[in-house]
Amino acid sequence: MVDWLTMTIQMAALGMAGWCLVSTFRDQPMVVPHLVGVAVLWLLVIGQAVVSVVAIAGGDRPDQTAMFVSYLATVVLLPPACAVWGFMERSKWGPAVIAFACLVLPVLMVRLEQLWNPVV
Amino acid sequence: MSDATASADRTLRTGPGRLLVAVYGVFALAATARGGYQLATRFDEAPLAYGLSLLAGIIYLVAAVGLARAGRTSRGVAFVSCAVELVGVLTVGVTSLLAPGAFPDDTVWSNFGSGYLFVPLVLPVLGLWWILRVHRMDHR
């Protein structure tokens, strides 16, 4: 886990969530810029996942490695899943689903940080 | 199946319904994984609390599938599981406040779901409201 990457992901996710909520209230369906935003977020998350997996493979692993990896997998799957949802729902509720996913993401990042660096 | 029923089925899983299915899916995953993991690794510490988390996760899963499939039967299934959730979160919430010893470790429903930003308390209410709304549209 790279701290600044976690921070960046959290800020980007919250920004995306705000933007998608605005789209929802303006009654707009998901558009291409939303998808680009989700894709950027996904790349950041994948970057964090790769760095973490390399660290784990190198021996720098958290106590609950299985738990950490399962959370990591969920975080990586979240952005594409919400993009698929946006495609299925061609109304304002598409961005609403993306907004929800982008609100869950920072929480999952906090949980990952806790597992990586448990505060005793 | 009449046209009215078909349109109601579409309605249940489109629009706000789609968001509900997504939220239910995430909570099903969170609660099932949490309960399953805790039961597998620390069964002795608090079997009731961990079992309850797992049960909550399964109910969320049933609700998510019921909302996503949205046939007449599925709607009934989703309605019942939302109702069970509401009863569960209220019962466990009150119990965890009055008798904290009953649950040594937190569950999804402890303190009315405060550990999950009270989403477990709000979610079944939204689910029931949505199903009833679609149900009424169906019978108009």
Side-chain angles (χ1 to χ4, degrees):
Chain A
M1 294 283 281
V2 181
D3 282 347
W4 65 263
L5 209 46
T6 303
M7 289 275 283
T8 313
I9 292 170
Q10 286 171 329
M11 291 302 139
L14 288 178
M16 272 298 293
W19 178 26
C20 288
L21 280 178
V22 169
S23 301
T24 302
F25 285 112
R26 283 190 179 165
D27 216 355
Q28 292 166 339
M30 188 186 77
V31 288
V32 174
H34 288 132
L35 272 183
V36 174
V38 171
V40 169
L41 199 57
W42 196 27
L43 285 179
L44 288 169
V45 172
I46 289 177
Q48 181 71 288
V50 169
V51 170
S52 304
V53 168
V54 167
I56 288 173
D60 179 16
R61 58 188 62 194
D63 292 337
Q64 296 172 298
T65 307
M67 182 92 113
F68 181 83
V69 171
S70 55
Y71 267 101
L72 201 59
T74 312
V75 169
V76 170
L77 289 178
L78 203 55
C82 74
V84 170
W85 236 276
F87 271 116
M88 275 160 44
E89 181 62 44
R90 302 302 296 157
S91 74
K92 65 174 179 174
W93 295 101
V97 170
I98 300 177
F100 170 69
C102 289
L103 289 175
V104 170
L105 204 58
V107 178
L108 287 173
M109 293 311 292
V110 170
R111 204 56 199 110
L112 277 172
E113 282 288 352
Q114 284 173 349
L115 288 168
W116 190 260
N117 275 324
V119 183
V120 184
Chain B
M1 192 191 280
S2 69
D3 286 350
T5 317
S7 72
D9 286 350
R10 258 202 310 282
T11 323
L12 187 65
R13 62 169 168 234
T14 52
R18 197 91 73 180
L19 178 61
L20 270 179
V21 174
V23 180
Y24 265 109
V26 168
F27 267 81
L29 182 70
T32 316
R34 176 182 177 168
Y37 181 84
Q38 288 172 325
L39 273 181
T41 54
R42 290 178 291 163
F43 178 77
D44 300 332
E45 286 173 36
L48 181 62
Y50 300 155
L52 204 61
S53 280
L54 186 61
L55 179 72
I58 294 168
I59 296 172
Y60 284 128
L61 192 64
V62 173
V65 173
L67 284 168
R69 286 176 48 86
R72 193 175 276 273
T73 320
S74 306
R75 200 192 303 161
V77 170
F79 188 84
V80 170
S81 46
C82 286
V84 171
E85 269 164 49
L86 189 58
V87 172
V89 72
L90 290 177
T91 312
V92 174
V94 170
T95 313
S96 60
L97 282 184
L98 295 182
F103 303 107
D105 204 346
D106 273 357
T107 72
V108 185
W109 288 341
S110 297
N111 301 317
F112 303 104
S114 59
Y116 292 83
L117 290 173
F118 293 103
V119 175
L121 183 61
V122 181
L123 201 51
V125 177
L126 287 179
L128 289 174
W129 167 78
W130 176 240
I131 297 168
L132 282 179
R133 216 184 97 125
V134 173
H135 192 66
R136 246 181 265 129
M137 265 193 268
D138 196 9
H139 283 271
R140 204 176 292 157

